[in-house]
C-alpha cells in the first residue's frame, strides 16, 4: 500500500518547487543586476558583454522572451505543456511589471539628482505640489516618440530658469499661448518662417525640421538659441540664429543630456 506523503501528487509538488526556484532566480536577475555595478578591479570588463550577467534588465527581458517565453507559449497555444504555459505567463507578467517599476524608479531618481544640481547652481526651480498630467494637445499631436524621461520632467517641474532669466526649460505652461510680448515655445520656428516668406521650398524644409525636433530649452543669452529632442533618434541637439535649423548633436539621448548637466560637463 502506498505511503501517505501528505501531498496529493509528490511529482507535481516537486515540479512546482522547481518553477518557484526558477522564478526567483529570473526575478532577481531582472530586477537587481546592473551591467555597470558589482564589479571589482579583477572582474571588470571593458565595454558591454552580450550575456545575461552584463545586460541591463530590459535587454535580459528581451533575451528571455526570445529564448524562453515565446517557445513555451507557442507550445501552450497548441495545447501542449498547459501547466508550464500558465506558469510562464504568470512569472513573466510579474517580472515585466517589476522591471517597469524599477525603470520608473530610476527615472525619478535621475530627475531628483538633476533638479538638485540645477538648484545648487543657482537656477530657479519650482515644482508642482501634485503631479501634472497635462500637456498641450499641440505637442502630443505634433510629436511622436517623446522620451518618457522628458515627460516625467514635465509632470514634475513647473518652472526652471537661470538666475538671469535668460535661459529656461520649456515646461507645460510654456506650451500654452503666451502674451504678445513674451516668447512663444516655437518662436524660433516662427522667425525662420518669416525669413522664408514666399519661398515655399524653404518654408517646407523649416516646417519639416521643427516637426521632428521638440524644443525643450530656449535661450536669449548672447544670442537666440535652443536645445531640442530629435523625434527620429531621441538625441538632443542645439541650434542658434541666424540658421536655427543648422544644429549639432549634444547628447545621444535626453537622459545623457541631463547627466551631462548634472556632472558639469555641459553649461547652458
Amino acid at each position: 500500500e502506498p505511503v501517505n506523503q501528505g501531498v496529493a501528487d509528490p511529482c507535481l509538488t516537486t515540479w512546482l518547487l522547481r518553477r518557484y526556484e526558477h522564478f526567483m532566480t529570473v526575478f532577481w536577475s531582472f530586477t537587481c543586476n546592473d551591467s555597470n555595478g558589482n564589479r571589482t578591479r579583477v572582474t571588470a570588463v571593458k565595454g558591454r558583454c552580450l550575456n545575461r550577467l552584463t545586460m541591463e534588465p530590459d535587454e535580459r527581458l528581451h533575451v528571455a522572451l526570445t529564448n524562453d517565453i515565446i517557445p513555451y507559449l507557442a507550445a501552450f497555444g497548441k495545447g501542449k505543456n498547459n501547466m508550464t504555459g500558465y506558469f510562464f505567463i504568470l512569472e513573466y507578467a510579474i517580472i515585466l511589471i517589476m522591471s517597469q517599476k524599477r525603470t520608473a524608479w530610476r527615472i525619478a531618481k535621475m530627475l531628483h539628482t538633476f533638479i538638485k544640481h540645477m538648484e545648487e547652481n543657482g537656477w530657479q526651480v519650482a515644482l508642482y505640489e501634485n503631479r501634472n498630467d497635462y500637456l498641450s494637445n499641440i505637442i502630443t499631436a505634433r510629436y511622436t516618440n517623446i522620451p518618457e524621461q522628458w515627460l516625467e520632467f514635465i509632470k514634475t517641474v513647473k518652472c526652471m530658469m537661470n538666475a538671469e532669466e535668460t535661459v529656461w526649460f520649456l515646461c507645460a505652461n510654456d506650451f500654452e499661448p503666451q502674451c504678445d510680448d513674451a516668447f512663444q515655445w516655437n518662436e524660433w520656428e516662427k522667425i525662420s518662417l518669416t525669413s522664408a516668406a514666399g519661398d515655399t521650398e524653404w518654408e517646407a524644409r523649416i516646417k519639416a525640421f521643427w516637426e521632428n525636433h521638440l524644443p525643450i530649452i530656449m535661450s536669449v543669452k548672447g544670442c537666440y538659441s535652443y536645445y531640442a529632442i530629435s523625434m527620429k533618434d531621441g538625441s538632443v541637439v542645439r541650434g542658434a540664429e541666424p540658421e536655427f535649423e543648422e544644429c549639432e548633436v549634444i547628447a545621444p539621448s535626453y537622459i545623457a543630456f541631463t547627466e551631462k548637466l548634472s556632472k558639469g560637463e555641459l553649461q547652458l
Side-chain angles (χ1 to χ4, degrees):
E1 181 178 349
V3 178
N4 184 358
Q5 299 183 34
V7 294
D9 187 339
C11 293
L12 177 60
T13 302
T14 301
W15 185 83
L16 288 172
L17 287 173
R18 287 177 179 172
R19 299 307 308 149
Y20 173 76
E21 292 173 357
H22 170 75
F23 167 74
M24 293 306 296
T25 300
V26 177
F27 172 80
W28 287 112
S29 172
F30 280 117
T31 58
C32 299
N33 289 344
D34 186 337
S35 63
N36 297 314
N38 298 324
R39 293 185 179 181
T40 65
R41 179 177 59 83
V42 177
T43 60
V45 180
K46 292 183 178 179
R48 290 175 178 265
C49 293
L50 298 179
N51 59 58
R52 290 174 184 261
L53 292 179
T54 57
M55 289 180 185
E56 294 290 357
D58 290 343
E59 295 173 302
R60 290 195 298 275
L61 182 58
H62 174 74
V63 171
L65 281 168
T66 303
N67 297 340
D68 301 329
I69 306 173
I70 293 176
Y72 268 92
L73 293 184
F76 175 67
K78 296 177 182 178
K80 303 175 182 178
N81 298 327
N82 286 358
M83 184 68 74
T84 304
Y86 280 123
F87 270 89
F88 265 98
I89 291 173
L90 176 61
E91 288 175 10
Y92 288 100
I94 295 173
I95 291 170
L96 181 59
I97 292 171
M98 294 304 296
S99 178
Q100 291 173 340
K101 287 184 176 294
R102 182 175 185 268
T103 299
W105 177 81
R106 291 175 64 186
I107 291 174
K109 182 179 180 181
M110 286 187 289
L111 178 59
H112 173 76
T113 301
F114 169 63
I115 292 172
K116 182 179 180 182
H117 170 82
M118 300 304 283
E119 288 178 328
E120 291 175 349
N121 283 269
W123 281 64
Q124 304 176 51
V125 180
L127 306 180
Y128 287 104
E129 292 184 4
N130 300 308
R131 283 175 63 84
N132 168 55
D133 291 322
Y134 174 77
L135 181 61
S136 172
N137 292 335
I138 296 175
I139 302 303
T140 56
R142 188 180 193 187
Y143 297 102
T144 57
N145 301 322
I146 299 176
E148 185 63 33
Q149 296 81 5
W150 183 76
L151 291 175
E152 185 67 21
F153 173 88
I154 290 295
K155 294 175 181 179
T156 305
V157 180
K158 186 175 183 180
C159 174
M160 180 179 286
M161 66 181 72
N162 66 354
E164 299 77 22
E165 300 186 3
T166 55
V167 184
W168 62 98
F169 283 74
L170 290 172
C171 298
N173 291 335
D174 296 312
F175 292 105
E176 298 296 324
Q178 307 296 314
C179 59
D180 292 338
D181 58 347
F183 287 107
Q184 307 296 319
W185 68 271
N186 59 342
E187 194 72 37
W188 308 155
E189 177 183 3
K190 293 167 65 177
I191 290 175
S192 292
L193 288 173
T194 300
S195 300
D199 189 329
T200 55
E201 185 177 340
W202 188 5
E203 288 179 345
R205 289 201 303 269
I206 292 170
K207 291 178 181 179
F209 174 85
W210 289 106
E211 285 174 357
N212 285 289
H213 291 85
L214 168 62
I216 58 172
I217 297 174
M218 295 181 69
S219 173
V220 295
K221 184 179 178 181
C223 67
Y224 290 170
S225 62
Y226 69 90
Y227 291 85
I229 300 174
S230 169
M231 296 294 102
K232 291 183 178 180
D233 59 13
S235 62
V236 176
V237 304
R238 180 186 182 276
E241 61 177 334
E243 299 294 337
F244 289 108
E245 293 71 38
E246 293 182 1
C247 59
E248 60 176 334
V249 176
I250 301 300
S253 66
Y254 180 74
I255 285 183
F257 175 70
T258 57
E259 285 180 344
K260 276 191 171 185
L261 289 171
S262 298
K263 294 177 181 177
E265 298 175 358
L266 177 65
Q267 301 297 323
L268 300 178

